[in-house]
């Protein structure tokens, strides 16, 4: 296997991600995208993501969310080039004051 894409559909109302999905229609999620390092840069990640987005759209979803680590610059670049924008930033660890 050289790549895979896993989507999720969150029902309307409170959902993982909090306020983004509350009180709205169901929301799709780009849950996991994996590409073999030897295949990175070939367009496989974009193709897999587009397949997942089409799958979600075909189920009537007009909104999609995803989470990506800030250190994953390649993924951020891919998602931004596909029209995604930053909605929130989560911090797991911070320097105490």
């Amino acid at each position: 296997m050289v790549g895979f894409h896993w989507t999720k559909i969150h029902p309307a109302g409170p959902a993982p991600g909090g306020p983004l999905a509350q009180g709205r229609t169901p929301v799709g999620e780009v849950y996991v995208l994996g590409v073999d390092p030897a295949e990175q840069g070939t367009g496989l990640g974009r193709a897999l993501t587009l397949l997942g987005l089409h799958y979600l759209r075909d189920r009537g979803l007009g909104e999609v969310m995803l989470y990506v680590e800030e250190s994953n610059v390649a993924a951020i670049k891919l998602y931004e080039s596909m029209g995604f924008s930053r909605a929130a930033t989560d911090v797991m660890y911070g320097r105490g004051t």
Side-chain angles (χ1 to χ4, degrees), residues 2-62:
V2 294
F4 60 92
H5 185 245
W6 180 3
T7 60
K8 281 187 169 185
I9 297 175
H10 298 281
L20 181 64
Q22 290 184 5
R24 296 192 180 172
T25 58
V27 175
E29 181 176 358
V30 172
Y31 187 61
V32 180
L33 173 65
V35 175
D36 185 307
E39 298 296 322
Q40 290 178 350
T42 65
L44 180 59
R46 177 178 300 278
L48 291 170
T49 302
L50 284 170
L51 284 170
L53 293 174
H54 286 271
Y55 171 85
L56 294 169
R57 183 198 61 205
D58 290 348
R59 275 140 192 84
L61 299 168

